[in-house]
Amino acid sequence: MSKERTAPEPLSACDEALATRYDVALLDLDGVVYVGPDPVPDAPEYLRKAAKEGMRIGFITNNASRPARVVAEHLSSFGLDVLPDDVVTSAQAAAKLVAAEFPKGSPVLVVGGEGLYVALEEYGLTPVRSSDGHPVAVVQGFDPDVNWVMLADGAHAINEGAKWFATNMDETIPTAAGKAPGNGTLVQAIRAAVDVDPVVAGKPEPPLLETSIERLEAKHPLMIGDRLDSDIEGANAVGIASLWVATGVHDAYDLARAPKNQRPTYVAAGLGALAEKQPGVTVDGSKHSCAGWTAEIVNNAVSVKGEGEPYDGLRAILSAVWTAVDAPAEPVKTAKATARGRRPRPKPAPTADAIALDGALHRIGLAN
């Protein structure tokens, strides 16, 4: 059973370095620590510094293609001190879900790669390659070698009664060449041929993060990611703090348009934030201030003034936008309605898409 927690408010302040406030970092990998085979610039050095401050570094990935051992070897090639136990994959979280429902030795059809085979065996299950083995479950995870035959076999087993588990629903994955289709697109291929939805283990669903917190013995974890709809939403779902970094899929525009369940506790350019305090935002009427910047909404556009660090300006902008879009509808009084005794029509709050951001983001140096 998951522990009852409450995530801190978005854009919270932290009066000490994040690496000393939180005992364990739960780091997403793709777009945060590495992109393809190469590390995000300076990320390994920042993580080594955080570890010296006493923060345990855990690596949490929705990508189920590789076993934890192989991921640890990849990370160690960057000069990081990483053991397989420091890595938790969505394949392990999915295998744990299957093991909770079926007895040891049960056959499970794999639509994916080595990461799923190893995880299933770790939990005492028997991975099989064909639906001819009458599997009790189908587990699907991303692997570049997944093909039509594997997808079709998964659909056949599900239609014959096997329970379907998916490691994650990410529609894309970051690669050195840009975005590429992720496991979510492959799940949709099977979904077109079956009448049920899968049980999902990976972010933003709770199982992966709950499994990670348990395995890494985290008391005060900090989820760190680049994706709002998986990393940040997942952290909010299990009630833990989150740090969004700008090294991967989503950008400042996406942040400004984020719904409530995808808003992070902290925002930063990258992992250097682990060694830093985090400023909060003060609100005075319509004005939202962070360090040297002040932002407000004027005629459905963000106006920002001041100077200083770009991400301080971004925090002020986000506070102004989120406050505006979250505001309750205001009644609009008209002379005609008042004369006839009618209730005034409500004036809806602006949507994030309707608020012009380009000028403000350009002003702080974060425009696309």
Side-chain angles (χ1 to χ4, degrees), residues 11 43 148 212 308 336:
L11 305 178
W148 182 89
S212 302
K336 183 180 293 187

Side-chain angles (χ1 to χ4, degrees), residues 218-244:
K219 301 295 187 293
H220 302 288
L222 175 66
M223 179 66 217
I224 306 171
D226 64 308
R227 295 186 69 116
L228 301 171
D229 57 353
S230 60
D231 304 319
I232 306 307
E233 184 176 338
N236 288 332
V238 299
I240 64 174
S242 60
L243 167 65
W244 172 86

Side-chain angles (χ1 to χ4, degrees), residues 25 52 62 82 103 106 124 135 167 184 195 207 231 270 291 309 322:
K52 287 181 180 178
N62 265 4
V82 183
S106 296
T167 59
D195 294 325
D231 304 319
E309 294 295 325
W322 293 344

Side-chain angles (χ1 to χ4, degrees), residues 59-209:
F59 301 93
I60 315 304
T61 180
N62 265 4
N63 192 325
S65 63
R66 300 183 297 173
R69 168 186 53 80
V70 176
V71 175
E73 291 171 356
H74 183 189
L75 294 167
S76 295
S77 72
F78 304 154
L80 294 169
D81 185 12
V82 183
L83 300 174
D85 286 347
D86 298 323
V87 179
V88 186
T89 73
S90 60
Q92 292 170 317
K96 182 180 179 181
L97 289 176
V98 179
E101 293 201 32
F102 300 99
K104 286 189 175 183
S106 296
V108 180
L109 177 65
V110 173
V111 180
E114 183 186 8
L116 279 171
Y117 285 94
V118 171
L120 290 167
E121 290 173 346
E122 178 184 348
Y123 280 90
L125 299 161
T126 303
V128 297
R129 298 178 180 272
S130 170
S131 59
D132 292 341
H134 303 292
V136 297
V138 173
V139 179
Q140 182 175 4
F142 176 80
D143 188 83
D145 293 328
V146 168
N147 57 35
W148 182 89
V149 172
M150 297 171 72
L151 295 171
D153 210 25
H156 296 157
I158 294 164
N159 283 328
E160 290 174 1
K163 187 162 184 176
W164 187 18
F165 296 83
T167 59
N168 68 291
M169 294 294 290
D170 293 350
E171 292 187 355
T172 63
I173 57 171
T175 72
K179 291 182 184 179
N183 193 56
T185 61
L186 301 176
V187 168
Q188 291 305 317
I190 287 184
R191 182 63 182 84
V194 302
D195 294 325
V196 296
D197 293 318
V199 176
V200 181
K203 302 167 291 183
E205 301 302 322
L208 175 55
L209 284 178

